[in-house]
Amino acid sequence: MWPFKVKVMWRLLQCGLTSHPPASALTASFSRVVLGIETSCDDTGAAVVDETGVILGESLHSQKEIHLRNGGIIPTVAQQLHRDNIERVVQEALERSGVPPTQLSAVATTVKPGLALSLGIGLEFSRRFVRQHNKPFIPIHHMEAHALTIRMLQAVAFPFLVLLVSGGHSLLAVARDVDDFLLLGHTLDEAPGDTLDKVARRLSLIKHPQCSTLSGGQAIELLAKEGDRRRFAFTTPMGQIYDCCFSFAGLRSQITMAIKKKEEEEGIQPGTLLNCVNDIAAATQHTVASHLAKRTHRAILFCKAHKLLPSSNPTLVLSGGVASNQYIRKALTIITETTQMQLLCPPPKFCTDNGVMIAWNGVERLREGKGILSSSVDVFYEPKAPLGVDITAEHTCPTSQYPDP
Ligand code: KG4
Ligand code: ZN
């Protein structure tokens, strides 16, 4: 294995810093390095990232296929899979980085929010690791990490608006600092990724030859390309509620009813692929995109009116697993273009769960000296953890001044 310093030099050369990398780059690369560990849901991820954002080594074990076969995430199964893989995943990330544990500046681990049994495995492993190697520990909020990943990839100054959409979350927030978020809206029931996963299951897309290994969201995006959304007129949720919150459960009922009706018309049993599956996928994707776009539009108007974003080059960051969806990205591009905002999305690999975003959040906190604990401090996981200061309640967040765009 190459020693750490050789590895960093090689990375710098790969990055285009030929024979004489600036001293500052070398110093920065050598100065602080964080190991990040993610186990909040169904991915066991680890990565070693330096404070310039260079990923020195990473490893990811996805449980997706097993949960697909089980028809959803069974927490005890997720827990066992994290337990079986965490040691190897962390070892792999460290080996690939060439950074020995003694040279780590800190270990950052997701401790909230997420599945209790999954969070517990990452936290337990990390606590043992930091004690053994006597390293500082940085507990990480999973959604904060999603929100700030973009800053590892390009220069984005605070404050900026962020829309996070995944299997577990749907929220709009203003990121004002590493540890300072203003929550403008959240989902009242389920998250869009969860809805897409459930609709895909109801449509038995796992039996579709092109979709058997895809997540629900990916399967719906793929089939929608060949579908006609106009064949199903689903109502966009919360049309009469003028805030920035989301709701997807009612939309799922509409879709389930339409599927039932079509099954009766086609004379087939639930569990069989419908002929019109592409059209249902297209209409579902369109309605989810439209709901996300309308709420985000209102949030942008609210932020502008209350001067929550800079007047020059205000930014919307879109992230989370559902942000990989190109149709949803396009819908949000239309909104940002009409409101003179720039839209930034991390590439799909960084939108879904991974260890890199956790390591990077550790780097951000380390740089600002925020939330760094000694190896002996007791830390507990929190399955439920709101993001930042919640101003979604009507009396504090008069977003209702902005009717549906
Ligand atoms: O962020 P993530 O990896 O995990 C969490 O939920 O935290 O997101 C996974 C979710 C799943 O619900 C999956 O169906 C959805 O993201 N997803 C997509 C796409 N790729 C993944 N949804 C829509 N379109 C996609 N291309
Ligand atoms: Zn996530």
Side-chain angles (χ1 to χ4, degrees):
M1 198 211 325
W2 290 351
F4 170 41
K5 290 188 180 187
V6 173
K7 186 110 182 178
V8 170
M9 179 69 89
W10 173 241
R11 293 283 166 145
L12 290 170
L13 290 170
Q14 281 180 317
C15 292
L17 298 172
T18 45
S19 52
H20 301 292
S24 60
L26 272 176
T27 317
S29 294
F30 289 132
S31 58
R32 286 191 286 191
V33 183
V34 174
L35 167 66
I37 298 177
E38 158 65 31
T39 65
S40 69
C41 189
D42 57 348
D43 290 298
T44 315
V48 180
V49 174
D50 81 0
E51 72 180 313
T52 65
V54 174
I55 302 162
L56 298 167
E58 62 180 307
S59 176
L60 186 68
H61 175 263
S62 168
Q63 307 174 355
K64 190 176 79 184
E65 283 193 27
I66 290 158
H67 297 311
L68 263 177
R69 279 203 299 276
N70 287 341
I73 299 174
I74 302 167
T76 48
V77 173
Q79 180 188 40
Q80 189 56 44
L81 289 166
H82 283 305
R83 195 178 277 133
D84 294 345
N85 289 288
I86 188 149
E87 183 114 36
R88 176 184 60 79
V89 165
V90 171
Q91 200 54 39
E92 233 165 56
L94 283 167
E95 271 173 25
R96 288 173 183 165
S97 73
V99 179
T102 49
Q103 297 229 23
L104 290 170
S105 310
V107 177
T109 301
T110 308
V111 301
K112 60 186 173 184
L115 295 174
L117 296 180
S118 296
L119 288 168
I121 299 294
L123 182 54
E124 195 187 315
F125 179 91
S126 305
R127 285 175 58 182
R128 252 188 291 117
F129 188 96
V130 295
R131 281 185 188 151
Q132 185 187 344
H133 299 287
N134 193 24
K135 293 290 166 191
F137 181 58
I138 310 178
I140 302 292
H141 189 299
H142 182 83
M143 305 314 291
E144 291 182 4
H146 268 305
L148 302 193
T149 308
I150 193 75
R151 285 165 48 86
M152 185 188 79
L153 305 166
Q154 58 196 104
V156 185
F158 294 117
F160 56 87
L161 181 63
V162 57
L163 171 63
L164 294 178
V165 273
S166 70
H169 297 276
S170 187
L171 59 86
L172 274 160
V174 180
R176 299 191 293 192
D177 203 340
V178 171
D179 60 348
D180 183 7
F181 293 80
L182 206 56
L183 186 64
L184 303 183
H186 56 80
T187 183
L188 303 179
D189 37 58
E190 58 194 46
D194 191 21
T195 308
L196 294 172
D197 292 341
K198 285 176 174 154
V199 168
R201 276 207 292 282
R202 182 62 185 80
L203 287 167
S204 303
L205 297 189
I206 197 158
K207 294 186 183 162
H208 194 289
Q210 287 172 279
C211 302
S212 59
T213 60
L214 302 183
S215 69
Q218 288 170 321
I220 285 176
E221 179 171 26
L222 183 75
L223 298 185
K225 290 190 177 122
E226 306 296 323
D228 177 1
R229 69 173 175 82
R230 279 168 287 261
R231 287 199 46 210
F232 293 89
F234 300 133
T235 310
T236 305
M238 300 177 82
Q240 302 303 314
I241 301 166
Y242 302 136
D243 64 15
C244 296
C245 285
F246 304 92
S247 166
F248 294 92
L251 171 62
R252 187 155 60 82
S253 304
Q254 288 184 62
I255 300 166
T256 307
M257 279 184 330
I259 295 172
K260 251 176 119 177
K261 192 159 166 262
K262 278 288 157 195
E263 283 168 346
E264 281 161 20
E265 277 174 32
E266 292 188 17
I268 60 167
Q269 292 296 316
T272 317
L273 282 172
L274 281 167
N275 282 329
C276 59
V277 74
N278 294 350
D279 302 330
I280 296 181
T284 300
Q285 177 177 257
H286 176 76
T287 316
V288 168
S290 155
H291 185 38
L292 294 175
K294 285 181 174 176
R295 309 318 266 190
T296 306
H297 193 172
R298 182 173 291 111
I300 291 172
L301 298 181
F302 175 77
C303 286
K304 290 200 166 192
H306 293 264
K307 303 203 177 344
L308 296 176
L309 297 174
S311 47
S312 132
N313 215 17
T315 300
L316 169 68
V317 171
L318 170 63
S319 194
V322 177
S324 323
N325 185 291
Q326 294 303 321
Y327 190 89
I328 291 171
R329 286 190 184 201
K330 180 79 194 132
L332 287 155
T333 306
I334 295 167
I335 299 299
T336 47
E337 278 173 1
T338 55
T339 50
Q340 288 84 49
M341 301 268 293
Q342 70 162 337
L343 176 65
L344 299 179
C345 307
K349 167 179 169 8
F350 293 119
C351 279
T352 49
D353 293 351
N354 59 77
V356 173
M357 70 181 198
I358 306 305
W360 174 251
N361 206 248
V363 166
E364 292 251 34
R365 286 185 163 272
L366 201 59
R367 285 200 305 211
E368 292 210 7
K370 287 177 172 164
I372 303 147
L373 309 177
S374 89
S375 60
S376 59
V377 173
D378 266 347
V379 180
F380 301 95
Y381 59 79
E382 293 170 56
K384 285 197 191 316
L387 176 71
V389 179
D390 186 344
I391 62 156
T392 55
E394 237 172 279
H395 60 282
T396 50
C397 180
T399 47
S400 56
Q401 288 164 13
Y402 310 100
D404 236 9

